[in-house]
Amino acid sequence: MLFIPQKQDLPIILIVDDEAINRIILSEAVQDLGKLVEAETGEQALELADKLRPKVVLLDIDLPGIDGFEVCRRLKTNPSTSECAVVFVTSHSESSYEYHSLSQGGIDFIGKPIDLGLCRLRVKNQLILQQRTEALQVAKDDLHELVTQVPVFISCWSKKLENLFSNDFGGDWFGINAKAMTDQPMQHVFPASLYNLIQEKIQEGLPLGTFTVYMPERPNDIEYAQVYLTARRMQEEEIGFLLTLVDVTSVRRAKHDLMLEKERLKVTLNSIGDAVIATDTDGRVTFMNPIAERMTGMRSKEAEGEHIESVMNLCDADSKKPGINPIMLALQEKRIVAMALNSQLTAKSGEVYRVEDSAAPIRDDEGNIIGAIIVFHDVSESIAMAVKMSYLANHDQLTDLPNRILLHDRLGQACKQANSMGRQVAVFLIDVDHFKYLNDSLGHHHGDLIIKQVAKRLESLVDASATLARIGGDEFVLVVPGIRNSGIVDSIATAIVKEMADPFIIEAQEYRLSVSVGISLNPTDADDEESLMRHADVAMYRAKQEGRNRYCYFSEELEAKLLQRHNVELILRAAISNDALEVHYQPQIELNSGRIIGAEALVRLRDDKGGLISPIHFIPLAEETGLITQLGLQVMRKACMAASNWQQQGFDIRVSVNIAAKQFVESSLSDDVARLLEETKLSATQLELEVTESALMDNFEETQNILTNLVEMGVSIAIDDFGTGYSSLSYMKAFPINVLKIDQSFVRDMLLDKQSLDIVKTIAYLASSLGLTLIGEGIEEEQQKLALMDLNCELGQGYLFSKPLPLESFDKLLLAGQV
């Protein structure tokens, strides 16, 4: 075939001769040229030929029955064998025989005796001719099939422009099929617009080649055609023309529609009030409309090919931290991406815009992403107006302080947050004493100036977490969230009253004022904002009734607590000053053996009557008053002395001492520990310092340095109440920790609460994975001990073994050997 060559079978050669010797000779001559078949008679030859269809027949003339001439005639008249090449083989040399052979359809003549070489050559030539004839026919058929099926008009024309050939066998182009078109003049076939253009080019000697023609006649709705016209030449003489036509109507119409759509889109994008930027898949700019040019400060040609992040300088409006451009997110995540809130765009000129909107990937017809587009607009004025309106709606115009509306919102949020954190919110209602008299006598202008100064003084007393609001002519409300202890409330109230006692200078005149302050607490006094405000108002009037220039609490119980706190502070200071703090020791037990291997040192404080004051009352107080460092050093000294004595008596007992968070602020902690170890002659390996997770996180780097120094001395570090604080693996990795202590709240509930048990299991697994010693705190039941042992917890402490004991009692327990 013309396009796909096929494997050829060996040609069949039929040898017909009644004499065996001749057949042998002929077979010898052509044996390698094909597959040989022999016949002795004419009838036998015809039968084999009809069945096998040989390519060449070597035919003897003199045959019994039907002679060779008749065999040849029948082969040529049979459609199945008419194409075979008949070569006569005979001993006759007369010209009449040769003539008769050729007239019957023979194509060659071989005389006897047979020349083997000549015979082989003639047969080979006939086979080659047969192959070429067949290949030519196949190529012709292929070419006919090709020109029939291609959607192109192919035609051949004479020099006079008469049709010689056309592949439009169905008349699809001009309503005339190929057969009827033959010999027709071109002007009778083509529409005038096409014919005139072709004739003009030929007659005027214009370049032929390729051109497009518009046919208003629209034959078969063909409006535009691509013309390919070439001259046919033979021996340098022009003999005609080869002309092909391609229907490009749909392409031209599509291009026209696309151009119109493109122009319409361009006009739209250039006319809208939003900025539009398009990019390719790498985020490089391919289009910008005029609004985008103005807001970025770059011309479209200047920005084209540049990365979007170099064209759009985006950052957070508050932090100024650069952010990833939404177009890049849209390309990466293959979705529509809204621009980050509070986004700011800085133009090349330095002009700043607040912008918002979104970006989206651009997809082709098959859904493949071919780029992205971002649409954004300037919201600077809107945001500024919204901020201004919100500010005016929520702030007092005279003092710029929050008004009742904003106060209500802040107070509600503070109460919710405090309740979730287990803390309190304090509300201070502040009223200027006798302000009405002052305002009436001096005038409203002076009164406003005084109120402004009062506001400034109050603002100077509060931190950023508090809210100071003006709710009336001379009334202010201070909301302080996150109160941990009542002492802070007392301090703030005292500061307010004291600050207002200083004289006010208004236009060179001195005025003395005082305030009455009412205080209510959430959740002690009330659970909601309205009740808190009402209770603070009641307390404020109580302060006025008691003589003004003072503060009062709504809750008398709180006043009692403050008095109690004051008494405890006096006792604590005296105990520290007189070295009267007591240290009790709770044994730490090896759970498998029951052997005492350590003791936790716990500080105790006695009141004037000899009773013990709970640590929950004086430990937080020590932290608030700055006494915790002195308390901690005193406890550590006594604990180290006790452990040193145990060591001298032959007891290998390690003592654990709690370190408060504020002790880590003191950079001298490492030096203090080293000094106490040397002073008490205690080995560093016998001292363990217990710290809470929150204490570790207050000052990360400083704490890390302190712990590293302590561990290098040989001191062991334990995490106390593990699981109740940050429980972060990052600090477990960063800090040199030796021991984990399971908080007693988990141990207490582990047999009844599956969640607590799961937490204990997790802590045990973590300790095992990190190679840390595990201590269970608060063990009160045998089942708790057994459960911890099942989790490979080595050590434990709790009332099941012993409560914290005075030193003398603990010494007796050591002598007994086991608990």
Side-chain angles (χ1 to χ4, degrees):
M1 294 180 69
L2 177 62
F3 303 112
I4 305 177
Q6 296 190 350
K7 183 178 180 181
Q8 298 288 335
D9 295 330
L10 285 174
I12 296 176
I13 301 174
L14 177 59
I15 300 174
V16 185
D17 201 304
D18 59 338
E19 294 184 12
I21 186 63
N22 290 334
R23 295 198 301 274
I24 293 172
I25 293 172
L26 289 171
S27 297
E28 178 67 23
V30 298
Q31 62 180 347
D32 62 335
L33 298 180
K35 183 178 180 180
L36 305 183
V37 181
E38 298 180 3
E40 298 180 10
T41 66
E43 291 83 354
Q44 186 180 9
L46 291 171
E47 182 180 353
L48 288 173
D50 187 61
K51 179 180 179 181
L52 301 177
R53 299 182 183 181
K55 298 295 183 183
V56 176
V57 178
L58 297 178
L59 180 61
D60 186 23
I61 295 177
D62 298 321
L63 293 173
I66 303 175
D67 64 8
F69 294 131
E70 180 63 19
V71 170
C72 181
R73 187 186 66 76
R74 292 187 184 182
L75 289 173
K76 291 299 179 178
T77 56
N78 184 355
S80 300
T81 57
S82 61
E83 298 298 327
C84 67
V86 178
V87 179
F88 283 103
V89 181
T90 180
S91 59
H92 298 287
S93 59
E94 295 87 344
S95 59
S96 59
Y97 278 92
E98 185 173 355
Y99 175 81
H100 195 52
S101 299
L102 297 175
S103 65
Q104 294 299 321
I107 60 171
D108 206 349
F109 196 87
I110 298 176
K112 295 181 181 178
I114 298 169
D115 185 331
L116 295 182
L118 181 62
C119 175
R120 183 180 186 282
L121 184 59
R122 290 188 173 185
V123 172
K124 182 178 180 181
N125 289 339
Q126 291 301 324
L127 289 174
I128 292 173
L129 287 174
Q130 285 276 333
Q131 290 175 355
R132 290 179 177 176
T133 300
E134 290 178 358
L136 184 61
Q137 184 60 44
V138 170
K140 182 179 179 181
D141 293 342
D142 286 346
L143 184 60
H144 183 271
E145 182 178 352
L146 175 64
V147 299
T148 301
Q149 295 192 14
V150 294
V152 176
F153 178 83
I154 302 174
S155 60
C156 229
W157 303 83
S158 68
K159 193 172 182 180
K160 295 180 179 181
L161 297 184
E162 295 174 340
N163 184 259
L164 303 175
F165 168 80
S166 167
N167 71 332
D168 191 9
F169 301 103
D172 297 328
W173 278 77
F174 305 106
I176 304 175
N177 62 37
K179 185 176 180 181
M181 193 183 299
T182 303
D183 296 330
Q184 289 288 324
M186 184 179 287
Q187 63 265 33
H188 293 170
V189 177
F190 289 168
S193 56
L194 175 59
Y195 169 73
N196 292 337
L197 184 59
I198 293 173
Q199 187 183 48
E200 179 183 356
K201 284 183 173 289
I202 293 174
Q203 288 181 351
E204 297 185 8
L206 298 175
L208 302 183
T210 303
F211 52 91
T212 301
V213 62
Y214 168 66
M215 296 182 290
E217 304 89 346
R218 300 189 182 180
N220 288 329
D221 201 33
I222 301 173
E223 187 176 7
Y224 291 94
Q226 190 80 25
V227 183
Y228 299 86
L229 180 63
T230 57
R232 298 177 62 214
R233 298 181 182 277
M234 183 177 291
Q235 296 180 352
E236 301 301 323
E237 182 182 352
E238 189 177 273
I239 61 172
F241 302 94
L242 179 63
L243 183 145
T244 61
L245 301 173
V246 179
D247 181 8
V248 294
T249 303
S250 60
V251 175
R252 290 294 295 264
R253 288 174 180 172
K255 285 183 177 180
H256 179 70
D257 292 344
L258 183 61
M259 181 188 68
L260 290 178
E261 185 64 26
K262 184 177 179 181
E263 287 300 314
R264 188 159 42 245
L265 179 61
K266 184 177 181 180
V267 171
T268 302
L269 291 177
N270 290 339
S271 301
I272 63 175
D274 287 352
V276 180
I277 301 178
T279 72
D280 59 17
T281 53
D282 294 326
R284 300 193 176 279
V285 174
T286 58
F287 171 82
M288 289 176 65
N289 73 346
I291 302 297
E293 290 181 330
R294 177 176 62 81
M295 293 182 67
T296 60
M298 296 181 70
R299 304 293 296 173
S300 181
K301 291 183 179 180
E302 179 187 359
E304 189 172 343
E306 295 294 324
H307 197 274
I308 185 65
E309 291 187 341
S310 65
V311 175
M312 292 186 69
N313 182 10
L314 291 174
C315 69
D316 183 86
D318 295 329
S319 66
K320 308 306 178 186
K321 182 179 180 182
I324 186 171
N325 193 284
I327 271 193
M328 300 311 297
L329 283 176
L331 289 171
Q332 292 169 13
E333 301 181 9
K334 301 179 180 179
R335 64 176 179 86
I336 297 174
V337 176
M339 185 174 290
L341 297 176
N342 207 33
S343 190
Q344 176 179 294
L345 171 66
T346 304
K348 295 294 183 182
S349 62
E351 191 169 356
V352 175
Y353 301 93
R354 291 289 295 278
V355 292
E356 66 176 24
D357 234 312
S358 63
I362 303 173
R363 300 178 184 271
D364 60 17
D365 293 339
E366 298 179 356
N368 300 315
I369 293 178
I370 58 175
I373 189 167
I374 184 169
V375 182
F376 56 98
H377 57 273
D378 183 7
V379 293
S380 303
E381 291 185 3
S382 300
I383 290 177
M385 181 60 69
V387 170
K388 183 177 181 180
M389 294 299 293
S390 175
Y391 188 87
L392 291 175
N394 291 284
H395 287 79
D396 174 57
Q397 294 186 19
L398 178 62
T399 62
D400 277 343
L401 294 177
N403 58 17
R404 284 184 180 271
I405 298 174
L406 185 54
L407 173 66
H408 178 77
D409 180 67
R410 296 272 182 87
L411 182 54
Q413 291 183 21
C415 290
K416 290 178 182 179
Q417 186 177 12
N419 290 338
S420 66
M421 299 175 63
R423 295 180 182 176
Q424 293 181 309
V425 177
V427 176
F428 301 80
L429 179 57
I430 307 162
D431 184 87
V432 180
D433 296 330
H434 303 299
F435 178 75
K436 186 177 184 302
Y437 169 78
L438 187 66
N439 195 40
D440 291 342
S441 61
L442 296 178
H444 292 291
H445 172 68
H446 284 74
D448 288 347
L449 294 177
I450 290 175
I451 289 298
K452 280 186 171 183
Q453 288 199 24
V454 170
K456 288 183 179 180
R457 290 195 186 185
L458 292 175
E459 282 186 294
S460 68
L461 299 177
V462 300
D463 59 23
S465 64
T467 297
L468 176 64
R470 184 188 181 212
I471 62 171
D474 62 341
E475 283 190 335
F476 298 84
V477 173
L478 174 62
V479 177
V480 181
I483 298 294
R484 299 186 182 184
N485 59 81
S486 54
I488 295 176
V489 179
D490 193 50
S491 299
I492 294 174
T494 301
I496 292 173
V497 173
K498 182 180 178 183
E499 184 69 22
M500 294 300 112
D502 292 338
F504 289 82
I505 307 298
I506 304 296
E507 294 183 355
Q509 292 293 319
E510 183 178 295
Y511 301 93
R512 291 192 175 272
L513 300 177
S514 65
V515 292
S516 296
V517 182
I519 304 168
S520 65
L521 298 175
N522 166 275
T524 306
D525 298 332
D527 294 329
D528 60 276
E529 301 96 290
E530 291 185 5
S531 297
L532 275 172
M533 291 294 294
R534 187 173 62 254
H535 290 171
D537 189 58
V538 171
M540 185 268 293
Y541 275 103
R542 179 182 166 196
K544 286 186 177 292
Q545 291 172 356
E546 293 183 359
R548 293 183 171 83
N549 194 29
R550 69 188 64 235
Y551 61 88
C552 285
Y553 290 91
F554 173 78
S555 171
E556 294 182 0
E557 178 185 353
L558 183 58
E559 292 182 348
K561 288 183 178 178
L562 288 175
L563 181 59
Q564 180 187 9
R565 175 186 181 276
H566 180 67
N567 291 332
V568 171
E569 182 179 349
L570 293 177
I571 294 172
L572 178 61
R573 289 184 181 276
I576 293 175
S577 178
N578 299 325
D579 197 22
L581 291 173
E582 293 183 18
V583 179
H584 289 193
Y585 301 89
Q586 186 173 35
Q588 295 177 338
I589 308 301
E590 188 178 66
L591 296 181
N592 287 328
S593 65
R595 185 170 60 90
I596 300 174
I597 58 90
E600 182 177 1
L602 301 168
V603 64
R604 295 293 183 261
L605 177 67
R606 293 193 181 274
D607 59 19
D608 297 337
K609 298 179 180 179
L612 289 176
I613 299 174
S614 173
I616 64 174
H617 291 145
F618 69 87
I619 293 295
L621 182 61
E623 291 180 339
E624 295 163 15
T625 56
L627 298 172
I628 191 66
T629 301
Q630 299 176 54
L631 182 149
L633 289 176
Q634 192 172 128
V635 172
M636 189 184 300
R637 178 183 289 105
K638 292 186 176 184
C640 288
M641 290 174 61
S644 179
N645 290 332
W646 298 331
Q647 186 175 341
Q648 293 174 15
Q649 295 174 33
F651 295 104
D652 187 19
I653 300 298
R654 182 181 60 203
V655 66
S656 296
V657 181
N658 290 283
I659 301 296
K662 289 192 176 181
Q663 288 182 263
F664 279 99
V665 179
E666 303 292 338
S667 59
S668 62
L669 178 61
S670 301
D671 295 334
D672 291 338
V673 171
R675 178 174 51 79
L676 288 177
L677 290 174
E678 182 177 1
E679 179 182 324
T680 59
K681 308 302 181 185
L682 178 66
S683 171
T685 57
Q686 299 304 109
L687 177 62
E688 184 174 275
L689 300 182
E690 295 187 11
V691 295
T692 62
E693 295 170 82
S694 58
L696 292 176
M697 303 306 291
D698 282 348
N699 191 334
F700 190 95
E701 294 184 359
E702 185 63 23
T703 300
Q704 189 178 40
N705 293 333
I706 293 173
L707 290 183
T708 300
N709 292 337
L710 292 171
V711 170
E712 288 176 354
M713 292 181 200
V715 175
S716 177
I717 304 298
I719 303 299
D720 195 17
D721 302 335
F722 184 78
T724 62
Y726 290 88
S727 300
S728 169
L729 294 179
S730 62
Y731 82 73
M732 298 289 290
K733 179 181 178 182
F735 297 136
I737 298 166
N738 310 103
V739 180
L740 290 185
K741 299 191 73 176
I742 307 172
D743 185 69
Q744 59 181 345
S745 62
F746 300 130
V747 175
R748 181 178 60 249
D749 297 336
M750 65 184 293
L751 300 180
L752 303 175
D753 178 29
K754 183 178 182 301
Q755 187 176 21
S756 294
L757 178 60
D758 290 341
I759 292 174
V760 174
K761 287 180 179 179
T762 302
I763 296 173
Y765 177 77
L766 179 62
S768 176
S769 301
L770 298 177
L772 304 178
T773 301
L774 191 62
I775 301 179
E777 291 184 296
I779 302 174
E780 298 179 358
E781 300 174 14
E782 183 69 18
Q783 291 301 320
Q784 294 171 348
K785 166 189 170 184
L786 296 176
L788 288 170
M789 290 175 65
D790 289 339
L791 296 176
N792 297 321
C793 179
E794 304 99 322
L795 308 177
Q797 67 183 82
Y799 276 42
L800 177 64
F801 311 112
S802 173
K803 66 179 181 180
L805 301 172
L807 181 57
E808 297 79 10
S809 299
F810 187 86
D811 288 342
K812 293 178 181 179
L813 192 64
L814 279 181
L815 293 173
Q818 288 186 337
V819 295

